[in-house]
CSV table of all heavy atoms in Angstrom, one decimal:
chain,number,residue,atom,x,y,z
A,738,PRO,N,19.6,17.7,71.0
A,738,PRO,CA,20.1,19.1,71.3
A,738,PRO,C,20.9,19.2,72.6
A,738,PRO,O,21.7,20.1,72.7
A,738,PRO,CB,18.8,19.9,71.5
A,738,PRO,CG,17.7,18.9,71.9
A,738,PRO,CD,18.1,17.6,71.2
A,739,GLU,N,20.8,18.2,73.5
A,739,GLU,CA,21.6,18.3,74.7
A,739,GLU,C,23.1,18.2,74.4
A,739,GLU,O,23.9,18.6,75.2
A,739,GLU,CB,21.2,17.2,75.7
A,739,GLU,CG,21.4,15.8,75.2
A,739,GLU,CD,20.3,15.2,74.3
A,739,GLU,OE1,19.4,16.0,74.0
A,739,GLU,OE2,20.5,14.1,73.8
A,740,LYS,N,23.4,17.7,73.2
A,740,LYS,CA,24.8,17.5,72.8
A,740,LYS,C,25.4,18.8,72.3
A,740,LYS,O,26.6,18.9,72.1
A,740,LYS,CB,25.0,16.4,71.8
A,740,LYS,CG,24.6,15.0,72.3
A,740,LYS,CD,24.8,14.0,71.3
A,740,LYS,CE,24.3,12.6,71.7
A,740,LYS,NZ,24.5,11.6,70.7
A,741,SER,N,24.5,19.8,72.0
A,741,SER,CA,25.0,21.0,71.4
A,741,SER,C,25.1,22.1,72.5
A,741,SER,O,24.3,22.2,73.4
A,741,SER,CB,24.0,21.5,70.3
A,741,SER,OG,23.8,20.5,69.3
A,742,PRO,N,26.2,22.9,72.4
A,742,PRO,CA,26.3,24.0,73.4
A,742,PRO,C,25.3,25.1,73.2
A,742,PRO,O,24.8,25.3,72.1
A,742,PRO,CB,27.7,24.5,73.1
A,742,PRO,CG,28.0,24.2,71.6
A,742,PRO,CD,27.3,22.9,71.4
A,743,ASN,N,24.8,25.6,74.3
A,743,ASN,CA,23.9,26.7,74.3
A,743,ASN,C,22.5,26.3,73.7
A,743,ASN,O,21.8,27.2,73.3
A,743,ASN,CB,24.4,27.9,73.5
A,743,ASN,CG,25.7,28.4,74.1
A,743,ASN,OD1,25.9,28.5,75.3
A,743,ASN,ND2,26.7,28.8,73.2
A,744,SER,N,22.2,25.1,73.8
A,744,SER,CA,20.9,24.7,73.3
A,744,SER,C,19.7,24.9,74.3
A,744,SER,O,18.6,25.0,73.9
A,744,SER,CB,20.9,23.2,72.9
A,744,SER,OG,21.1,22.4,74.0
A,745,GLU,N,20.1,25.0,75.6
A,745,GLU,CA,19.1,25.3,76.6
A,745,GLU,C,17.9,24.4,76.5
A,745,GLU,O,16.7,24.9,76.4
A,745,GLU,CB,18.7,26.8,76.6
A,745,GLU,CG,19.9,27.8,76.8
A,745,GLU,CD,19.4,29.2,76.7
A,745,GLU,OE1,19.1,29.7,75.6
A,745,GLU,OE2,19.3,29.9,77.8
A,746,THR,N,18.1,23.2,76.6
A,746,THR,CA,17.0,22.2,76.5
A,746,THR,C,15.9,22.3,77.5
A,746,THR,O,14.8,21.8,77.3
A,746,THR,CB,17.6,20.8,76.4
A,746,THR,OG1,18.4,20.5,77.6
A,746,THR,CG2,18.4,20.5,75.2
A,747,ASP,N,16.2,22.9,78.7
A,747,ASP,CA,15.2,23.1,79.7
A,747,ASP,C,14.3,24.3,79.3
A,747,ASP,O,13.2,24.4,79.8
A,747,ASP,CB,15.8,23.4,81.1
A,747,ASP,CG,16.4,22.1,81.7
A,747,ASP,OD1,16.0,21.0,81.3
A,747,ASP,OD2,17.4,22.3,82.5
A,748,MET,N,14.8,25.1,78.4
A,748,MET,CA,14.0,26.3,78.1
A,748,MET,C,13.2,26.1,76.7
A,748,MET,O,12.2,26.7,76.5
A,748,MET,CB,14.9,27.5,77.9
A,748,MET,CG,15.8,27.7,79.1
A,748,MET,SD,15.0,28.3,80.6
A,748,MET,CE,14.8,30.1,80.2
A,749,TYR,N,13.8,25.3,75.9
A,749,TYR,CA,13.3,25.2,74.5
A,749,TYR,C,13.0,23.7,74.2
A,749,TYR,O,13.6,22.8,74.7
A,749,TYR,CB,14.2,25.8,73.5
A,749,TYR,CG,14.4,27.3,73.6
A,749,TYR,CD1,15.6,27.8,74.3
A,749,TYR,CD2,13.5,28.2,73.2
A,749,TYR,CE1,15.8,29.1,74.4
A,749,TYR,CE2,13.7,29.5,73.3
A,749,TYR,CZ,14.8,30.0,73.9
A,749,TYR,OH,15.0,31.3,74.0
A,750,ASP,N,12.1,23.5,73.2
A,750,ASP,CA,11.9,22.2,72.6
A,750,ASP,C,12.4,22.3,71.1
A,750,ASP,O,12.2,23.3,70.5
A,750,ASP,CB,10.4,21.8,72.6
A,750,ASP,CG,10.1,20.5,72.0
A,750,ASP,OD1,10.4,19.5,72.6
A,750,ASP,OD2,9.6,20.5,70.8
Side-chain angles (χ1 to χ4, degrees):
E739 65 279 357
K740 298 179 181 179
S741 302
N743 303 319
S744 61
E745 298 179 288
T746 54
D747 288 335
M748 310 288 281
Y749 296 101
D750 179 77

